[in-house]
Amino acid sequence: MVVENYKELSQKSAQMFYQSIINKRAINLGLATGGTPVGFYQELVKFLKGHDMTECIRTFNLDEYIGLSKGNPNSFYTFMNDHFYKPLNLSDDQTFIPNGKADDLEDESSQYETLIQSYGGIDLQLLGVGENGHIGFNEPGSHFEQRTHVVNLKPSTVQANARFFNSIKDVPKKAITMGIGTILDAKEIIVIANGEHKAEAIYQLVHGEKSRNWPITALKGHSNVTVILDEAAANKVKLRQAT
Ligand code: GLP
């Protein structure tokens, strides 16, 4: 789906989430952080605020930096709290995100995986994409079967995310992320991307071969994926003319 601008991309993706939420009595949402979904959260909060349907929502985030506490302004927990949990008054027993400060990170990873399964898996997953095609923090070279695990971030990912930190030195070099196998288990996936810097990753998703060099291409094996793009992110994709 190619939309005109970022506002429309945010509205369209939020609307699809809202529809799924109102159609279900209970829903497990897989959620993403980064610059791209900020507008999505604003729109979804607008749709949901004032309705009493938020009780039926459970959220599971894709990833978290290792070494940042929940209260750290750059943690993904803080991002989620500011953009989604707090505005909707979601409680701690509805909102889950890996603990990047856990003493035993391997154990934290497998417990997070078990937690998702114990609630019946993810119904609807939101994904952004890194310029190098990463999803969650699954960097190029990742195996498509992997479950939640600890990852070393590529220098290009550290560089891309440095804009949120005071200095590149402050950007953690490791994270816990749902694996591609975990992501592929979601019943439905919505990918959002805007800007020309995402165009190559989107080209690989639409026209490329399934390849570990481009983690996003793992989604080719999933039966229910919607990709919502602005024109810049879609500029390498050969679009069919409407007839
Ligand atoms: C981070 C997150 C991803 C996100 C990516 C792109 O690395 N782990 O989930 O998709 O950044 O972020 P942005 O939307 O800021 O371009």
Side-chain angles (χ1 to χ4, degrees), residues 55-235:
E55 272 170 30
C56 76
I57 298 172
R58 252 188 240 110
T59 71
F60 299 86
N61 264 75
L62 282 167
D63 45 17
E64 178 60 285
Y65 286 118
I66 287 177
L68 301 192
S69 62
K70 275 186 164 185
N72 186 300
N74 287 119
S75 70
F76 287 162
Y77 175 85
T78 298
F79 175 98
M80 290 307 299
N81 202 34
D82 291 348
H83 291 94
F84 200 59
Y85 306 160
K86 226 168 22 181
L88 290 176
N89 263 326
L90 300 181
S91 63
D92 286 350
D93 56 7
Q94 288 177 276
T95 53
F96 303 103
I97 186 162
N99 174 10
K101 287 285 269 184
D103 291 335
D104 184 337
L105 295 163
E106 300 301 331
D107 187 53
E108 171 65 17
S109 305
S110 61
Q111 279 192 35
Y112 193 67
E113 188 70 33
T114 309
L115 180 85
I116 297 170
Q117 313 291 340
S118 71
Y119 281 112
I122 288 166
D123 297 301
L124 180 57
Q125 175 71 54
L126 180 73
L127 287 182
V129 59
E131 279 181 60
N132 64 3
H134 73 247
I135 50 176
F137 268 134
N138 295 280
E139 296 280 28
S142 303
H143 288 273
F144 289 178
E145 301 76 28
Q146 258 181 325
R147 317 305 305 187
T148 303
H149 63 289
V150 173
V151 281
N152 293 313
L153 304 179
K154 298 268 186 212
S156 60
T157 298
V158 171
Q159 177 70 56
N161 288 351
R163 67 190 196 278
F164 298 113
F165 292 77
N166 288 332
S167 145
I168 191 163
K169 290 199 294 300
D170 298 336
V171 186
K173 310 288 180 296
K174 283 174 180 257
I176 297 185
T177 183
M178 283 186 201
I180 294 178
T182 322
I183 293 170
L184 292 178
D185 280 351
K187 295 183 188 77
E188 181 178 357
I189 298 175
I190 297 177
V191 180
I192 51 174
N194 67 309
E196 205 170 344
H197 57 306
K198 302 291 174 73
E200 181 62 27
I202 295 301
Y203 173 85
Q204 294 295 332
L205 169 62
V206 179
H207 299 297
E209 297 288 310
K210 222 176 176 192
S211 157
R212 279 167 50 196
N213 295 332
W214 289 93
I216 193 168
T217 62
L219 303 182
K220 287 173 158 304
H222 195 285
S223 60
N224 193 352
V225 181
T226 303
V227 184
I228 309 179
L229 308 168
D230 75 346
E231 287 176 4
N235 79 6

